[in-house]
Amino acid sequence: MSDRIFGDREKALEENYFRNQDAKLLQQLRQGSKLDDLALALADKLNVDKPELLVRVRELGVTADTAAAFLLAPLVQIAWAEGAVTRPEREAVLHLARERGIEDGSPAHGQLTAWLDSRPDDALFDAAVEAIKSGLTVLPGSEKEERITRITDACRRVAEASGSEIARLIGLGDGVSSDEGSLLDSINRRLRAHD
């Protein structure tokens, strides 16, 4: 009988810990916290919910100092969609990073520039989308949808960065190539998919 009481108590403590990790991440998301703070809260959640994913992320070389850059990996992936990063795409990624609190000269900024100089392996991009998706699970439906829209809109800004301004002005397209469009759709679908 006492074993059952201790087991029930242990289970209740564990469930409370899980709720606290989710609440911490939810608070960071709702406060519009800097990516560094969001990354730390997400790491805590992954440590509880998906420790194998957190191990994969660490094996990819992501550290606490570069975790904010990891959350912007989908932007880098879009920049590489056509096989090379153009100067406007690079500037768009770095501009969006600054808007999200990544300071020039920081380790996260250095990691982003390294990824823009040399394409990371697809495993990094896959892990980033999976981690972001996991983090979004703490949000209610409408807030989750808004966040996914914001992420895909940022990706679209990168995709549009190197498109022809003249083509956009005369209505011949939005500057997003078919490769970029396919990748945007893939990221969007993966973030919205139910597990």
PDB file of all heavy atoms in Angstrom, residues 130-151:
ATOM      1  N   GLU A 130      11.719  20.455 -36.052  1.00  0.00           N
ATOM      2  CA  GLU A 130      11.141  19.555 -35.051  1.00  0.00           C
ATOM      3  C   GLU A 130      11.144  20.206 -33.663  1.00  0.00           C
ATOM      4  O   GLU A 130      10.162  20.112 -32.919  1.00  0.00           O
ATOM      5  CB  GLU A 130      11.925  18.244 -35.035  1.00  0.00           C
ATOM      6  CG  GLU A 130      11.286  17.162 -34.208  1.00  0.00           C
ATOM      7  CD  GLU A 130      12.033  15.831 -34.277  1.00  0.00           C
ATOM      8  OE1 GLU A 130      12.844  15.628 -35.197  1.00  0.00           O
ATOM      9  OE2 GLU A 130      11.796  15.004 -33.370  1.00  0.00           O
ATOM     10  N   ALA A 131      12.229  20.882 -33.308  1.00  0.00           N
ATOM     11  CA  ALA A 131      12.317  21.538 -31.999  1.00  0.00           C
ATOM     12  C   ALA A 131      11.336  22.703 -31.907  1.00  0.00           C
ATOM     13  O   ALA A 131      10.659  22.882 -30.881  1.00  0.00           O
ATOM     14  CB  ALA A 131      13.742  22.018 -31.747  1.00  0.00           C
ATOM     15  N   ILE A 132      11.256  23.505 -32.957  1.00  0.00           N
ATOM     16  CA  ILE A 132      10.321  24.637 -32.968  1.00  0.00           C
ATOM     17  C   ILE A 132       8.895  24.124 -32.827  1.00  0.00           C
ATOM     18  O   ILE A 132       8.102  24.647 -32.036  1.00  0.00           O
ATOM     19  CB  ILE A 132      10.500  25.478 -34.246  1.00  0.00           C
ATOM     20  CG1 ILE A 132      11.854  26.189 -34.216  1.00  0.00           C
ATOM     21  CG2 ILE A 132       9.356  26.478 -34.403  1.00  0.00           C
ATOM     22  CD1 ILE A 132      12.274  26.781 -35.558  1.00  0.00           C
ATOM     23  N   LYS A 133       8.569  23.090 -33.583  1.00  0.00           N
ATOM     24  CA  LYS A 133       7.235  22.496 -33.523  1.00  0.00           C
ATOM     25  C   LYS A 133       6.932  22.014 -32.103  1.00  0.00           C
ATOM     26  O   LYS A 133       5.842  22.239 -31.582  1.00  0.00           O
ATOM     27  CB  LYS A 133       7.137  21.341 -34.517  1.00  0.00           C
ATOM     28  CG  LYS A 133       5.792  20.672 -34.522  1.00  0.00           C
ATOM     29  CD  LYS A 133       5.754  19.545 -35.517  1.00  0.00           C
ATOM     30  CE  LYS A 133       4.445  18.807 -35.404  1.00  0.00           C
ATOM     31  NZ  LYS A 133       4.335  17.712 -36.334  1.00  0.00           N
ATOM     32  N   SER A 134       7.897  21.376 -31.466  1.00  0.00           N
ATOM     33  CA  SER A 134       7.713  20.900 -30.104  1.00  0.00           C
ATOM     34  C   SER A 134       7.455  22.065 -29.147  1.00  0.00           C
ATOM     35  O   SER A 134       6.594  21.979 -28.276  1.00  0.00           O
ATOM     36  CB  SER A 134       8.934  20.108 -29.650  1.00  0.00           C
ATOM     37  OG  SER A 134       8.771  19.668 -28.332  1.00  0.00           O
ATOM     38  N   GLY A 135       8.177  23.138 -29.343  1.00  0.00           N
ATOM     39  CA  GLY A 135       7.988  24.303 -28.491  1.00  0.00           C
ATOM     40  C   GLY A 135       6.622  24.943 -28.663  1.00  0.00           C
ATOM     41  O   GLY A 135       6.034  25.458 -27.699  1.00  0.00           O
ATOM     42  N   LEU A 136       6.097  24.903 -29.864  1.00  0.00           N
ATOM     43  CA  LEU A 136       4.801  25.517 -30.138  1.00  0.00           C
ATOM     44  C   LEU A 136       3.636  24.754 -29.521  1.00  0.00           C
ATOM     45  O   LEU A 136       2.529  25.286 -29.420  1.00  0.00           O
ATOM     46  CB  LEU A 136       4.594  25.659 -31.651  1.00  0.00           C
ATOM     47  CG  LEU A 136       5.541  26.625 -32.367  1.00  0.00           C
ATOM     48  CD1 LEU A 136       5.321  26.567 -33.874  1.00  0.00           C
ATOM     49  CD2 LEU A 136       5.373  28.044 -31.844  1.00  0.00           C
ATOM     50  N   THR A 137       3.875  23.520 -29.084  1.00  0.00           N
ATOM     51  CA  THR A 137       2.781  22.715 -28.524  1.00  0.00           C
ATOM     52  C   THR A 137       2.228  23.296 -27.232  1.00  0.00           C
ATOM     53  O   THR A 137       1.114  22.932 -26.836  1.00  0.00           O
ATOM     54  CB  THR A 137       3.215  21.260 -28.261  1.00  0.00           C
ATOM     55  OG1 THR A 137       4.273  21.248 -27.285  1.00  0.00           O
ATOM     56  CG2 THR A 137       3.641  20.568 -29.544  1.00  0.00           C
ATOM     57  N   VAL A 138       2.954  24.191 -26.580  1.00  0.00           N
ATOM     58  CA  VAL A 138       2.459  24.771 -25.334  1.00  0.00           C
ATOM     59  C   VAL A 138       1.425  25.859 -25.579  1.00  0.00           C
ATOM     60  O   VAL A 138       0.744  26.285 -24.650  1.00  0.00           O
ATOM     61  CB  VAL A 138       3.611  25.337 -24.457  1.00  0.00           C
ATOM     62  CG1 VAL A 138       4.622  24.253 -24.122  1.00  0.00           C
ATOM     63  CG2 VAL A 138       4.277  26.538 -25.097  1.00  0.00           C
ATOM     64  N   LEU A 139       1.302  26.309 -26.821  1.00  0.00           N
ATOM     65  CA  LEU A 139       0.379  27.392 -27.137  1.00  0.00           C
ATOM     66  C   LEU A 139      -1.010  26.876 -27.479  1.00  0.00           C
ATOM     67  O   LEU A 139      -1.147  25.828 -28.115  1.00  0.00           O
ATOM     68  CB  LEU A 139       0.905  28.193 -28.339  1.00  0.00           C
ATOM     69  CG  LEU A 139       2.196  28.971 -28.121  1.00  0.00           C
ATOM     70  CD1 LEU A 139       2.719  29.500 -29.456  1.00  0.00           C
ATOM     71  CD2 LEU A 139       1.969  30.119 -27.151  1.00  0.00           C
ATOM     72  N   PRO A 140      -2.035  27.641 -27.111  1.00  0.00           N
ATOM     73  CA  PRO A 140      -3.388  27.301 -27.576  1.00  0.00           C
ATOM     74  C   PRO A 140      -3.448  27.435 -29.096  1.00  0.00           C
ATOM     75  O   PRO A 140      -2.625  28.128 -29.707  1.00  0.00           O
ATOM     76  CB  PRO A 140      -4.278  28.350 -26.911  1.00  0.00           C
ATOM     77  CG  PRO A 140      -3.458  29.008 -25.869  1.00  0.00           C
ATOM     78  CD  PRO A 140      -2.016  28.791 -26.227  1.00  0.00           C
ATOM     79  N   GLY A 141      -4.433  26.802 -29.715  1.00  0.00           N
ATOM     80  CA  GLY A 141      -4.549  26.725 -31.169  1.00  0.00           C
ATOM     81  C   GLY A 141      -4.349  28.016 -31.924  1.00  0.00           C
ATOM     82  O   GLY A 141      -3.546  28.079 -32.855  1.00  0.00           O
ATOM     83  N   SER A 142      -5.051  29.081 -31.561  1.00  0.00           N
ATOM     84  CA  SER A 142      -4.954  30.334 -32.319  1.00  0.00           C
ATOM     85  C   SER A 142      -3.574  30.975 -32.183  1.00  0.00           C
ATOM     86  O   SER A 142      -3.035  31.513 -33.151  1.00  0.00           O
ATOM     87  CB  SER A 142      -6.042  31.321 -31.890  1.00  0.00           C
ATOM     88  OG  SER A 142      -5.897  31.653 -30.522  1.00  0.00           O
ATOM     89  N   GLU A 143      -2.998  30.912 -30.996  1.00  0.00           N
ATOM     90  CA  GLU A 143      -1.658  31.468 -30.801  1.00  0.00           C
ATOM     91  C   GLU A 143      -0.619  30.652 -31.559  1.00  0.00           C
ATOM     92  O   GLU A 143       0.328  31.208 -32.124  1.00  0.00           O
ATOM     93  CB  GLU A 143      -1.293  31.507 -29.316  1.00  0.00           C
ATOM     94  CG  GLU A 143      -1.977  32.610 -28.546  1.00  0.00           C
ATOM     95  CD  GLU A 143      -1.533  32.621 -27.098  1.00  0.00           C
ATOM     96  OE1 GLU A 143      -0.353  32.934 -26.830  1.00  0.00           O
ATOM     97  OE2 GLU A 143      -2.378  32.306 -26.232  1.00  0.00           O
ATOM     98  N   LYS A 144      -0.797  29.349 -31.561  1.00  0.00           N
ATOM     99  CA  LYS A 144       0.117  28.475 -32.299  1.00  0.00           C
ATOM    100  C   LYS A 144       0.053  28.814 -33.789  1.00  0.00           C
ATOM    101  O   LYS A 144       1.090  28.936 -34.447  1.00  0.00           O
ATOM    102  CB  LYS A 144      -0.256  27.012 -32.057  1.00  0.00           C
ATOM    103  CG  LYS A 144       0.617  26.019 -32.790  1.00  0.00           C
ATOM    104  CD  LYS A 144       0.176  24.593 -32.491  1.00  0.00           C
ATOM    105  CE  LYS A 144       0.971  23.618 -33.308  1.00  0.00           C
ATOM    106  NZ  LYS A 144       0.538  22.235 -33.086  1.00  0.00           N
ATOM    107  N   GLU A 145      -1.142  28.972 -34.323  1.00  0.00           N
ATOM    108  CA  GLU A 145      -1.305  29.328 -35.734  1.00  0.00           C
ATOM    109  C   GLU A 145      -0.644  30.667 -36.048  1.00  0.00           C
ATOM    110  O   GLU A 145       0.005  30.824 -37.077  1.00  0.00           O
ATOM    111  CB  GLU A 145      -2.787  29.362 -36.114  1.00  0.00           C
ATOM    112  CG  GLU A 145      -3.426  28.002 -36.209  1.00  0.00           C
ATOM    113  CD  GLU A 145      -2.765  27.105 -37.234  1.00  0.00           C
ATOM    114  OE1 GLU A 145      -2.502  27.557 -38.369  1.00  0.00           O
ATOM    115  OE2 GLU A 145      -2.482  25.937 -36.907  1.00  0.00           O
ATOM    116  N   GLU A 146      -0.795  31.623 -35.151  1.00  0.00           N
ATOM    117  CA  GLU A 146      -0.178  32.945 -35.356  1.00  0.00           C
ATOM    118  C   GLU A 146       1.341  32.824 -35.399  1.00  0.00           C
ATOM    119  O   GLU A 146       2.005  33.423 -36.252  1.00  0.00           O
ATOM    120  CB  GLU A 146      -0.597  33.915 -34.254  1.00  0.00           C
ATOM    121  CG  GLU A 146       0.024  35.283 -34.424  1.00  0.00           C
ATOM    122  CD  GLU A 146       0.199  36.034 -33.114  1.00  0.00           C
ATOM    123  OE1 GLU A 146      -0.545  35.767 -32.150  1.00  0.00           O
ATOM    124  OE2 GLU A 146       1.110  36.887 -33.061  1.00  0.00           O
ATOM    125  N   ARG A 147       1.913  32.036 -34.509  1.00  0.00           N
ATOM    126  CA  ARG A 147       3.371  31.848 -34.482  1.00  0.00           C
ATOM    127  C   ARG A 147       3.866  31.167 -35.752  1.00  0.00           C
ATOM    128  O   ARG A 147       4.890  31.548 -36.309  1.00  0.00           O
ATOM    129  CB  ARG A 147       3.794  31.010 -33.270  1.00  0.00           C
ATOM    130  CG  ARG A 147       3.662  31.709 -31.968  1.00  0.00           C
ATOM    131  CD  ARG A 147       4.696  32.803 -31.858  1.00  0.00           C
ATOM    132  NE  ARG A 147       4.448  33.547 -30.645  1.00  0.00           N
ATOM    133  CZ  ARG A 147       5.365  34.158 -29.955  1.00  0.00           C
ATOM    134  NH1 ARG A 147       6.608  34.149 -30.358  1.00  0.00           N
ATOM    135  NH2 ARG A 147       5.054  34.808 -28.878  1.00  0.00           N
ATOM    136  N   ILE A 148       3.154  30.150 -36.196  1.00  0.00           N
ATOM    137  CA  ILE A 148       3.553  29.465 -37.423  1.00  0.00           C
ATOM    138  C   ILE A 148       3.491  30.433 -38.598  1.00  0.00           C
ATOM    139  O   ILE A 148       4.403  30.452 -39.440  1.00  0.00           O
ATOM    140  CB  ILE A 148       2.680  28.214 -37.660  1.00  0.00           C
ATOM    141  CG1 ILE A 148       2.988  27.157 -36.591  1.00  0.00           C
ATOM    142  CG2 ILE A 148       2.898  27.651 -39.067  1.00  0.00           C
ATOM    143  CD1 ILE A 148       2.034  25.975 -36.580  1.00  0.00           C
ATOM    144  N   THR A 149       2.457  31.248 -38.630  1.00  0.00           N
ATOM    145  CA  THR A 149       2.342  32.252 -39.698  1.00  0.00           C
ATOM    146  C   THR A 149       3.506  33.225 -39.632  1.00  0.00           C
ATOM    147  O   THR A 149       4.086  33.578 -40.674  1.00  0.00           O
ATOM    148  CB  THR A 149       0.994  32.992 -39.592  1.00  0.00           C
ATOM    149  OG1 THR A 149      -0.062  32.032 -39.754  1.00  0.00           O
ATOM    150  CG2 THR A 149       0.869  34.084 -40.637  1.00  0.00           C
ATOM    151  N   ARG A 150       3.893  33.651 -38.443  1.00  0.00           N
ATOM    152  CA  ARG A 150       5.029  34.575 -38.308  1.00  0.00           C
ATOM    153  C   ARG A 150       6.333  33.927 -38.785  1.00  0.00           C
ATOM    154  O   ARG A 150       7.155  34.580 -39.436  1.00  0.00           O
ATOM    155  CB  ARG A 150       5.158  35.058 -36.863  1.00  0.00           C
ATOM    156  CG  ARG A 150       4.074  36.067 -36.511  1.00  0.00           C
ATOM    157  CD  ARG A 150       4.013  36.456 -35.063  1.00  0.00           C
ATOM    158  NE  ARG A 150       5.271  36.807 -34.475  1.00  0.00           N
ATOM    159  CZ  ARG A 150       5.451  36.965 -33.172  1.00  0.00           C
ATOM    160  NH1 ARG A 150       4.460  36.807 -32.337  1.00  0.00           N
ATOM    161  NH2 ARG A 150       6.630  37.287 -32.699  1.00  0.00           N
ATOM    162  N   ILE A 151       6.503  32.653 -38.469  1.00  0.00           N
ATOM    163  CA  ILE A 151       7.717  31.941 -38.899  1.00  0.00           C
ATOM    164  C   ILE A 151       7.745  31.828 -40.418  1.00  0.00           C
ATOM    165  O   ILE A 151       8.761  32.128 -41.055  1.00  0.00           O
ATOM    166  CB  ILE A 151       7.800  30.544 -38.238  1.00  0.00           C
ATOM    167  CG1 ILE A 151       8.035  30.677 -36.729  1.00  0.00           C
ATOM    168  CG2 ILE A 151       8.896  29.698 -38.883  1.00  0.00           C
ATOM    169  CD1 ILE A 151       7.776  29.402 -35.938  1.00  0.00           C
TER     170      ILE A 151
END
